[in-house]
Amino acid sequence: MYTVAVAIVTSTAYFVWLIWIHPLSHFPGPKRAIASNLYWAKQFTSGHSHQSVRSLHDKYGDVVRWGPNELSFACVDAWKDIYDRRKDGKVLIKDPVFYRKDETLRAEHIVNAEDPERHAEIRKMMSYAFSAKALLQQEDLILQYASELREAIREKGADGPINLVNFFNWTTFDILGELAFGEPFGSLKNRKTDSWIAIILDHMQSMAWDAAIWKFPLLHYFQSWLTPKAVREGGARHALESKKKILRREREGPKSDRIDFVSYILKKRDELLITDWQLAAHSNALIIAGSETSATVLSGLFYYLCKHPDVYAKLKDELRSHFSNANDITAKAAGELPYLTACISETFRIYPPIPIAMPRVTPEGGCTIAGHFVPAGTVVGVHAWSITHNPKYFRDPDSFRPERWIEKIDNLEASKPFLTGPRMCMGINMAWIEVRIIAAQLVYMFDFELDDNNFDWAREQLCYVLWDKPELFVKAKVFSR
Ligand code: HEM
């Protein structure tokens, strides 16, 4: 009895402190979110956190406390205050709980390295892989895959509706496979998702569960019980297979004259003390960062085009009046088409491939974000979905309207799908080249139509750090003049 009473009094006192006395208590947010990480974890693993955080911003404004120690921002100034280098030259570090490390595929890699100095060394090592010279070689590879993709769609499209999401995944994972493991997965050639990729795509949800479990100090001890057996075993197989692939690439050398990402990492392996697991972790991270995201924006683009026949017709007209052969469509040539650029930018806005807030931790002494003082040790981030759907920045934010990128009346700076600052995406140029070439060649060559025009693909999306995309069946008719 006594113990129960003590427990009730202590927890009541703790909740009172969290809600009314805590240094974040003046930030608005739902009490159930402030009282415990359970709310955050539930939203994050529900697949609907993009919508729930947006509703919180609609209700409470630009800054919302949606966890005991967590603030979400949906205002444009927060981009630079959270992610850019600050006046003292320092950056807010990545949240070590979210970017957790261990001794398998979560070993230190380019995305999860949190120490700014160590990250700078790794980023420098990788910068050559993203240089103008490397990009030229990567463009050749992308052109080769774009041509194979056209052929695959032509062939399979003749038999009936095709799931475009698969075709884009096959292409972008094969490209990154060549660059990050030195070998393609062969999905596009075999017209079938390779088992290595299938594990990533089938267990998208596990990323969110993992983040949620680690929010609770003791729960991770039970992680293996809480994770479904198939996910656990799939993850272990995936890790071992990744390590095997990368060590084979190291042993046997590159399979072509192309300088892949691995070449740059191997050159510095001894100097930067990169272990076998770190090597595998870099490749794994590069593949996920570079393929799933590009496949997402391509899938989204074609969905929105099919749903907006007027936009689609205008884009077809731009491409078909400019080119007389799909093989002439290079990144440079496609880069000169303003409406294509506007359609892609609008897809990045309305359907950001990483829709969540990438979490950072405020430094000792705290800092000011978008005019608000935030105490030290708070987890902060700009929630990509909320800011890109904020009517303060984008008129009619739920409408797909590429024209906004030409009129430039909206506050376009609010959309930053690649982030900003020293942790900004390293693959931004490669992503634009890839998306431009593939989108332009497909718009030029095919007339796509949704298999079921009433299917609300956008509404069916589940967000688990990245999107768990539903199938997108389309009819593909080859265009002829
Ligand atoms: C549509 C395509 C893409 C989008 C929207 C995108 C978005 C992002 C975002 C938001 C981040 C920051 C992640 C964080 O803060 O944790 C990031 C980081 C990164 N991305 Fe991309 N990305 C795309 C394509 C690519 C491609 C093609 C590559 C090439 C491999 C790539 C490589 C990277 C790398 C290496 C980082 C880590 C940078 C660092 O921490 O220094 N990304 N990306």
Side-chain angles (χ1 to χ4, degrees):
M1 190 63 192
Y2 176 74
T3 323
V4 174
V6 170
I8 292 174
V9 171
T10 318
S11 40
T12 309
Y14 178 63
F15 292 137
V16 167
W17 174 75
L18 266 182
I19 297 170
W20 287 285
I21 303 167
H22 189 280
L24 295 180
S25 58
H26 58 289
F27 288 104
K31 292 203 175 36
R32 60 190 186 285
I34 295 170
S36 138
N37 275 317
L38 272 176
Y39 177 88
W40 186 97
K42 184 164 173 260
Q43 300 303 325
F44 209 66
T45 51
S46 69
H48 300 287
S49 68
H50 57 305
Q51 290 152 342
S52 47
V53 178
R54 180 184 174 186
S55 324
L56 294 180
H57 280 292
D58 287 348
K59 182 167 175 192
Y60 295 101
D62 286 348
V63 193
V64 176
R65 186 177 176 200
W66 78 300
N69 192 36
E70 190 113 2
L71 295 180
S72 169
F73 287 80
C75 50
V76 84
D77 288 346
W79 278 124
K80 65 174 177 20
D81 291 343
I82 294 179
Y83 300 102
D84 275 351
R85 215 171 271 290
R86 306 183 66 80
K87 280 198 191 104
D88 60 4
K90 297 199 173 137
V91 281
L92 267 58
I93 61 156
K94 290 194 164 189
D95 173 18
V97 177
F98 185 85
Y99 296 92
R100 189 172 61 77
K101 293 184 213 38
D102 63 23
E103 272 317 304
T104 63
L105 275 191
R106 277 186 173 271
E108 178 190 72
H109 56 68
I110 175 70
V111 180
N112 72 5
E114 87 222 15
D115 173 58
E117 278 174 32
R118 176 67 175 167
H119 167 258
E121 282 177 349
I122 300 177
R123 187 150 172 137
K124 188 167 167 224
M125 159 184 89
M126 293 218 169
S127 61
Y128 303 102
F130 295 94
S131 63
K133 187 174 150 214
L135 266 176
L136 275 179
Q137 287 196 342
Q138 288 155 10
E139 179 171 356
D140 282 345
L141 182 73
I142 291 166
L143 286 168
Q144 183 192 315
Y145 273 98
S147 158
E148 203 164 325
L149 171 66
R150 282 186 275 139
E151 182 48 31
I153 293 181
R154 197 191 54 72
E155 178 197 307
K156 290 286 174 193
D159 300 339
I162 54 164
N163 175 9
L164 262 189
V165 170
N166 273 349
F167 283 75
F168 290 139
N169 277 334
W170 296 343
T171 312
T172 57
F173 274 91
D174 269 358
I175 294 172
L176 259 295
E178 288 226 16
L179 293 171
F181 275 140
E183 57 184 66
F185 293 103
S187 296
L188 193 54
K189 191 161 127 239
N190 301 325
R191 320 285 197 245
K192 189 172 174 286
T193 310
D194 171 83
S195 57
W196 190 95
I197 302 169
I199 291 176
I200 296 182
L201 299 176
D202 290 349
H203 303 307
M204 214 45 110
Q205 234 176 320
S206 65
M207 285 196 208
W209 274 99
D210 195 74
I213 286 170
W214 282 80
K215 278 269 174 198
F216 301 89
L218 297 175
L219 208 55
H220 63 267
Y221 290 114
F222 305 96
Q223 186 163 14
S224 56
W225 290 359
L226 294 167
T227 316
K229 192 164 169 242
V231 177
R232 220 171 49 234
E233 291 178 356
R237 249 193 354 265
H238 178 74
L240 286 175
E241 179 62 21
S242 306
K243 193 159 98 169
K244 228 164 69 193
K245 267 181 192 288
I246 197 68
L247 293 180
R248 186 166 60 230
R249 159 67 185 81
E250 183 179 30
R251 228 177 22 251
E252 296 174 5
K255 291 212 167 68
S256 71
D257 296 340
R258 188 177 323 105
I259 307 174
D260 55 19
F261 294 160
V262 196
S263 322
Y264 297 102
I265 304 176
L266 289 177
K267 258 192 216 161
K268 292 274 175 182
R269 184 169 176 176
D270 294 338
E271 189 187 322
L272 296 187
L273 304 173
I274 295 173
T275 65
D276 285 359
W277 274 119
Q278 287 173 357
L279 194 59
H282 277 306
S283 292
N284 192 53
L286 284 165
I287 290 181
I288 298 177
S291 3
E292 212 284 329
T293 44
S294 305
T296 293
V297 77
L298 283 164
S299 307
L301 174 65
F302 281 91
Y303 169 73
Y304 282 106
L305 288 177
C306 289
K307 277 287 192 192
H308 296 83
D310 49 335
V311 175
Y312 196 5
K314 199 167 157 187
L315 183 59
K316 283 181 197 172
D317 188 49
E318 181 176 67
L319 277 147
R320 292 173 187 173
S321 60
H322 201 90
F323 296 103
S324 50
N325 187 327
N327 292 326
D328 296 340
I329 305 179
T330 58
K332 184 165 182 297
E336 284 159 9
L337 305 179
Y339 201 61
L340 173 69
T341 304
C343 288
I344 298 172
S345 303
E346 180 65 345
T347 310
F348 273 126
R349 179 197 71 81
I350 200 164
Y351 182 48
I354 308 186
I356 63 164
M358 304 316 294
R360 306 293 191 256
V361 182
T362 51
E364 224 180 285
C367 64
T368 301
I369 299 175
H372 302 269
F373 177 76
V374 182
T378 309
V379 177
V380 291
V382 176
H383 191 253
W385 181 265
S386 300
I387 195 168
T388 55
H389 290 74
N390 187 340
K392 200 161 88 177
Y393 302 125
F394 299 100
R395 284 162 307 152
D396 202 3
D398 292 305
S399 296
F400 180 72
R401 236 177 43 81
E403 281 67 20
R404 69 174 91 239
W405 294 88
I406 294 166
E407 296 157 359
K408 297 192 165 65
I409 297 171
D410 288 342
N411 190 342
L412 305 175
E413 284 300 303
S415 173
K416 293 205 185 295
F418 297 95
L419 238 63
T420 171
R423 299 309 293 257
M424 182 182 175
C425 177
M426 291 189 84
I428 179 169
N429 294 331
M430 182 185 166
W432 267 100
I433 287 179
E434 190 176 8
V435 172
R436 267 207 179 103
I437 289 178
I438 294 176
Q441 292 197 357
L442 296 190
V443 170
Y444 176 85
M445 181 161 164
F446 295 98
D447 288 312
F448 290 112
E449 206 183 295
L450 289 178
D451 186 37
D452 171 4
N453 212 25
N454 295 320
F455 180 46
D456 195 341
W457 186 77
R459 189 182 284 270
E460 296 294 317
Q461 304 286 321
L462 292 173
C463 154
Y464 299 111
V465 182
L466 302 171
W467 294 108
D468 194 354
K469 300 184 281 295
E471 293 169 332
L472 178 60
F473 275 96
V474 297
K475 295 171 202 146
K477 212 171 96 202
V478 178
F479 162 73
S480 64
R481 283 182 190 277

PDB file of all heavy atoms in Angstrom, residues 196-209:
ATOM      1  N   TRP A 196      18.309  -8.956 -51.279  1.00  0.00           N
ATOM      2  CA  TRP A 196      18.966  -7.973 -50.405  1.00  0.00           C
ATOM      3  C   TRP A 196      18.094  -6.721 -50.296  1.00  0.00           C
ATOM      4  O   TRP A 196      17.884  -6.165 -49.223  1.00  0.00           O
ATOM      5  CB  TRP A 196      20.343  -7.629 -50.999  1.00  0.00           C
ATOM      6  CG  TRP A 196      21.253  -6.829 -50.118  1.00  0.00           C
ATOM      7  CD1 TRP A 196      22.212  -7.326 -49.294  1.00  0.00           C
ATOM      8  CD2 TRP A 196      21.319  -5.398 -49.994  1.00  0.00           C
ATOM      9  NE1 TRP A 196      22.857  -6.286 -48.655  1.00  0.00           N
ATOM     10  CE2 TRP A 196      22.330  -5.102 -49.069  1.00  0.00           C
ATOM     11  CE3 TRP A 196      20.607  -4.340 -50.561  1.00  0.00           C
ATOM     12  CZ2 TRP A 196      22.670  -3.806 -48.701  1.00  0.00           C
ATOM     13  CZ3 TRP A 196      20.934  -3.046 -50.195  1.00  0.00           C
ATOM     14  CH2 TRP A 196      21.958  -2.779 -49.281  1.00  0.00           C
ATOM     15  N   ILE A 197      17.552  -6.294 -51.456  1.00  0.00           N
ATOM     16  CA  ILE A 197      16.709  -5.086 -51.476  1.00  0.00           C
ATOM     17  C   ILE A 197      15.367  -5.383 -50.798  1.00  0.00           C
ATOM     18  O   ILE A 197      14.828  -4.553 -50.067  1.00  0.00           O
ATOM     19  CB  ILE A 197      16.452  -4.634 -52.925  1.00  0.00           C
ATOM     20  CG1 ILE A 197      17.779  -4.368 -53.622  1.00  0.00           C
ATOM     21  CG2 ILE A 197      15.555  -3.425 -52.983  1.00  0.00           C
ATOM     22  CD1 ILE A 197      17.641  -4.173 -55.109  1.00  0.00           C
ATOM     23  N   ALA A 198      14.856  -6.583 -51.053  1.00  0.00           N
ATOM     24  CA  ALA A 198      13.534  -6.937 -50.499  1.00  0.00           C
ATOM     25  C   ALA A 198      13.537  -6.798 -48.975  1.00  0.00           C
ATOM     26  O   ALA A 198      12.556  -6.333 -48.393  1.00  0.00           O
ATOM     27  CB  ALA A 198      13.160  -8.348 -50.909  1.00  0.00           C
ATOM     28  N   ILE A 199      14.656  -7.163 -48.347  1.00  0.00           N
ATOM     29  CA  ILE A 199      14.702  -7.065 -46.875  1.00  0.00           C
ATOM     30  C   ILE A 199      14.529  -5.606 -46.450  1.00  0.00           C
ATOM     31  O   ILE A 199      13.757  -5.288 -45.552  1.00  0.00           O
ATOM     32  CB  ILE A 199      16.020  -7.654 -46.334  1.00  0.00           C
ATOM     33  CG1 ILE A 199      16.001  -9.166 -46.537  1.00  0.00           C
ATOM     34  CG2 ILE A 199      16.222  -7.322 -44.856  1.00  0.00           C
ATOM     35  CD1 ILE A 199      17.266  -9.886 -46.131  1.00  0.00           C
ATOM     36  N   ILE A 200      15.219  -4.710 -47.135  1.00  0.00           N
ATOM     37  CA  ILE A 200      15.089  -3.285 -46.768  1.00  0.00           C
ATOM     38  C   ILE A 200      13.643  -2.829 -46.973  1.00  0.00           C
ATOM     39  O   ILE A 200      13.038  -2.205 -46.103  1.00  0.00           O
ATOM     40  CB  ILE A 200      16.007  -2.404 -47.643  1.00  0.00           C
ATOM     41  CG1 ILE A 200      17.462  -2.751 -47.380  1.00  0.00           C
ATOM     42  CG2 ILE A 200      15.736  -0.928 -47.415  1.00  0.00           C
ATOM     43  CD1 ILE A 200      18.439  -1.910 -48.158  1.00  0.00           C
ATOM     44  N   LEU A 201      13.084  -3.150 -48.136  1.00  0.00           N
ATOM     45  CA  LEU A 201      11.755  -2.636 -48.451  1.00  0.00           C
ATOM     46  C   LEU A 201      10.667  -3.278 -47.596  1.00  0.00           C
ATOM     47  O   LEU A 201       9.726  -2.609 -47.174  1.00  0.00           O
ATOM     48  CB  LEU A 201      11.445  -2.851 -49.939  1.00  0.00           C
ATOM     49  CG  LEU A 201      12.403  -2.137 -50.905  1.00  0.00           C
ATOM     50  CD1 LEU A 201      12.083  -2.487 -52.341  1.00  0.00           C
ATOM     51  CD2 LEU A 201      12.344  -0.613 -50.707  1.00  0.00           C
ATOM     52  N   ASP A 202      10.832  -4.572 -47.296  1.00  0.00           N
ATOM     53  CA  ASP A 202       9.798  -5.261 -46.511  1.00  0.00           C
ATOM     54  C   ASP A 202       9.801  -4.835 -45.049  1.00  0.00           C
ATOM     55  O   ASP A 202       8.822  -5.045 -44.348  1.00  0.00           O
ATOM     56  CB  ASP A 202      10.006  -6.784 -46.563  1.00  0.00           C
ATOM     57  CG  ASP A 202       9.683  -7.319 -47.941  1.00  0.00           C
ATOM     58  OD1 ASP A 202       9.122  -6.551 -48.735  1.00  0.00           O
ATOM     59  OD2 ASP A 202      10.011  -8.490 -48.225  1.00  0.00           O
ATOM     60  N   HIS A 203      10.944  -4.314 -44.594  1.00  0.00           N
ATOM     61  CA  HIS A 203      11.021  -4.008 -43.162  1.00  0.00           C
ATOM     62  C   HIS A 203      11.225  -2.525 -42.879  1.00  0.00           C
ATOM     63  O   HIS A 203      11.870  -2.133 -41.930  1.00  0.00           O
ATOM     64  CB  HIS A 203      12.122  -4.850 -42.500  1.00  0.00           C
ATOM     65  CG  HIS A 203      11.904  -6.316 -42.695  1.00  0.00           C
ATOM     66  ND1 HIS A 203      10.726  -6.918 -42.360  1.00  0.00           N
ATOM     67  CD2 HIS A 203      12.678  -7.288 -43.212  1.00  0.00           C
ATOM     68  CE1 HIS A 203      10.790  -8.205 -42.667  1.00  0.00           C
ATOM     69  NE2 HIS A 203      11.965  -8.448 -43.189  1.00  0.00           N
ATOM     70  N   MET A 204      10.644  -1.717 -43.756  1.00  0.00           N
ATOM     71  CA  MET A 204      10.709  -0.268 -43.587  1.00  0.00           C
ATOM     72  C   MET A 204      10.272   0.135 -42.178  1.00  0.00           C
ATOM     73  O   MET A 204      10.842   0.998 -41.539  1.00  0.00           O
ATOM     74  CB  MET A 204       9.743   0.328 -44.611  1.00  0.00           C
ATOM     75  CG  MET A 204      10.126   1.625 -45.207  1.00  0.00           C
ATOM     76  SD  MET A 204      11.800   1.730 -45.711  1.00  0.00           S
ATOM     77  CE  MET A 204      11.659   1.757 -47.437  1.00  0.00           C
ATOM     78  N   GLN A 205       9.219  -0.554 -41.712  1.00  0.00           N
ATOM     79  CA  GLN A 205       8.642  -0.265 -40.405  1.00  0.00           C
ATOM     80  C   GLN A 205       9.664  -0.424 -39.270  1.00  0.00           C
ATOM     81  O   GLN A 205       9.569   0.253 -38.256  1.00  0.00           O
ATOM     82  CB  GLN A 205       7.546  -1.285 -40.151  1.00  0.00           C
ATOM     83  CG  GLN A 205       6.231  -0.685 -39.816  1.00  0.00           C
ATOM     84  CD  GLN A 205       5.188  -1.785 -39.682  1.00  0.00           C
ATOM     85  OE1 GLN A 205       5.172  -2.734 -40.454  1.00  0.00           O
ATOM     86  NE2 GLN A 205       4.326  -1.660 -38.710  1.00  0.00           N
ATOM     87  N   SER A 206      10.647  -1.332 -39.475  1.00  0.00           N
ATOM     88  CA  SER A 206      11.561  -1.619 -38.374  1.00  0.00           C
ATOM     89  C   SER A 206      12.427  -0.404 -38.026  1.00  0.00           C
ATOM     90  O   SER A 206      12.868  -0.261 -36.895  1.00  0.00           O
ATOM     91  CB  SER A 206      12.427  -2.839 -38.686  1.00  0.00           C
ATOM     92  OG  SER A 206      13.248  -2.545 -39.771  1.00  0.00           O
ATOM     93  N   MET A 207      12.642   0.491 -39.000  1.00  0.00           N
ATOM     94  CA  MET A 207      13.432   1.710 -38.703  1.00  0.00           C
ATOM     95  C   MET A 207      12.727   2.535 -37.635  1.00  0.00           C
ATOM     96  O   MET A 207      13.343   3.053 -36.709  1.00  0.00           O
ATOM     97  CB  MET A 207      13.539   2.599 -39.956  1.00  0.00           C
ATOM     98  CG  MET A 207      14.466   2.115 -40.995  1.00  0.00           C
ATOM     99  SD  MET A 207      14.783   3.516 -42.103  1.00  0.00           S
ATOM    100  CE  MET A 207      15.117   2.638 -43.591  1.00  0.00           C
ATOM    101  N   ALA A 208      11.398   2.667 -37.791  1.00  0.00           N
ATOM    102  CA  ALA A 208      10.641   3.475 -36.833  1.00  0.00           C
ATOM    103  C   ALA A 208      10.561   2.767 -35.477  1.00  0.00           C
ATOM    104  O   ALA A 208      10.702   3.401 -34.432  1.00  0.00           O
ATOM    105  CB  ALA A 208       9.246   3.731 -37.381  1.00  0.00           C
ATOM    106  N   TRP A 209      10.374   1.455 -35.488  1.00  0.00           N
ATOM    107  CA  TRP A 209      10.304   0.702 -34.232  1.00  0.00           C
ATOM    108  C   TRP A 209      11.611   0.800 -33.478  1.00  0.00           C
ATOM    109  O   TRP A 209      11.645   0.975 -32.265  1.00  0.00           O
ATOM    110  CB  TRP A 209       9.949  -0.767 -34.518  1.00  0.00           C
ATOM    111  CG  TRP A 209       8.479  -0.934 -34.599  1.00  0.00           C
ATOM    112  CD1 TRP A 209       7.731  -0.999 -35.751  1.00  0.00           C
ATOM    113  CD2 TRP A 209       7.549  -0.991 -33.518  1.00  0.00           C
ATOM    114  NE1 TRP A 209       6.396  -1.104 -35.450  1.00  0.00           N
ATOM    115  CE2 TRP A 209       6.260  -1.106 -34.075  1.00  0.00           C
ATOM    116  CE3 TRP A 209       7.669  -0.953 -32.135  1.00  0.00           C
ATOM    117  CZ2 TRP A 209       5.104  -1.193 -33.295  1.00  0.00           C
ATOM    118  CZ3 TRP A 209       6.519  -1.035 -31.361  1.00  0.00           C
ATOM    119  CH2 TRP A 209       5.261  -1.147 -31.942  1.00  0.00           C
TER     120      TRP A 209
END
